[in-house]
Amino acid sequence: MRLKQWTASLLVVSTVAAGCVSITGKDPTMRTPGRLIDDRLIEFVASRQIAAADERLAASHINVASHHGIVLLTGQVQSEALRARAEQVAADMRRVRKVHNEIEVIGSTNFVTRANDNWLTTKVFSRLAASEDVDANRIKVVTENGIVYLLGVVPRSQADAAAEVARTVFGVGKVVKAFDYL
């Protein structure tokens, strides 16, 4: 019961915050507090719904990231059918505009790989924040199994610059752009 109350509270705060920011005339592509809450709520609810959709999905390693309603699914599952099921669950959610399904059909990664992924995410985001060609506040970095995924709402020039910065970070195996372009 507390989960429902918490979710309802987040929705109210999200709606109020989004409404307050939108009347100020600020850039609608910037991540407002309301949009941040919406994205966190999408991530939380999608993770729960995917796990509830099938016990094999619950036992799989699946990550959900959301940025402006664009969802990125990463991780590992046992079959193509489970991969497709996870995507369908995420796509059916309210406020989800698009789903990038990057789930791999292989065995789950281990703790060392996941720790390395967290370190790579930190290094890539730090480099993006230090770059003069990129507005790091508009970009979300997700790393899975050495592959860096970049999400956000940016012009193509910034997307290309961000990808180039990410490619230069030691340990990055591949960079995937999952941007919504201005």
Side-chain angles (χ1 to χ4, degrees):
M1 187 56 122
R2 286 189 171 177
L3 177 61
K4 288 182 181 178
Q5 291 171 339
W6 183 79
T7 303
S9 297
L10 273 177
L11 286 173
V12 169
V13 170
S14 167
T15 303
V16 170
C20 291
V21 174
S22 66
I23 62 173
T24 64
K26 291 186 177 181
D27 182 357
T29 64
M30 290 299 293
R31 291 189 81 193
T32 64
R35 181 74 255 171
L36 288 168
I37 291 169
D38 284 349
D39 284 332
R40 291 286 184 210
L41 190 58
I42 287 170
E43 292 171 356
F44 177 76
V45 173
S47 293
R48 303 273 298 191
Q49 288 183 353
I50 289 169
D54 188 300
E55 65 186 30
R56 294 169 298 170
L57 285 172
S60 298
H61 172 67
I62 298 176
N63 296 312
V64 179
S66 178
H67 194 285
H68 276 276
I70 298 172
V71 172
L72 172 67
L73 300 175
T74 60
Q76 300 82 36
V77 294
Q78 300 168 354
S79 70
E80 186 60 41
L82 290 174
R83 181 181 185 278
R85 179 72 177 123
E87 179 177 356
Q88 189 59 53
V89 169
D92 288 345
M93 290 184 54
R94 259 187 58 182
R95 296 194 180 190
V96 170
R97 298 184 307 128
K98 186 178 188 179
V99 177
H100 292 281
N101 188 351
E102 297 293 332
I103 296 173
E104 296 177 293
V105 181
I106 58 173
S108 292
T109 56
N110 60 31
F111 174 76
V112 174
T113 301
R114 292 180 194 167
N116 184 59
D117 288 342
N118 287 335
W119 178 234
L120 283 175
T121 296
T122 301
K123 290 193 316 184
V124 169
F125 189 79
S126 296
R127 291 264 183 95
L128 291 174
S131 173
E132 294 180 10
D133 299 327
V134 177
D135 183 356
N137 293 322
R138 293 179 179 250
I139 298 173
K140 183 168 191 159
V141 180
V142 177
T143 307
E144 183 67 42
N145 207 13
I147 301 171
V148 173
Y149 300 91
L150 303 173
L151 294 92
V153 180
V154 297
R156 281 194 190 276
S157 60
Q158 274 198 35
D160 293 340
E164 191 55 40
V165 168
R167 279 187 193 95
T168 65
V169 174
F170 180 77
V172 172
K174 179 179 174 184
V175 177
V176 176
K177 296 187 289 185
F179 289 110
D180 200 8
Y181 296 106
L182 292 176

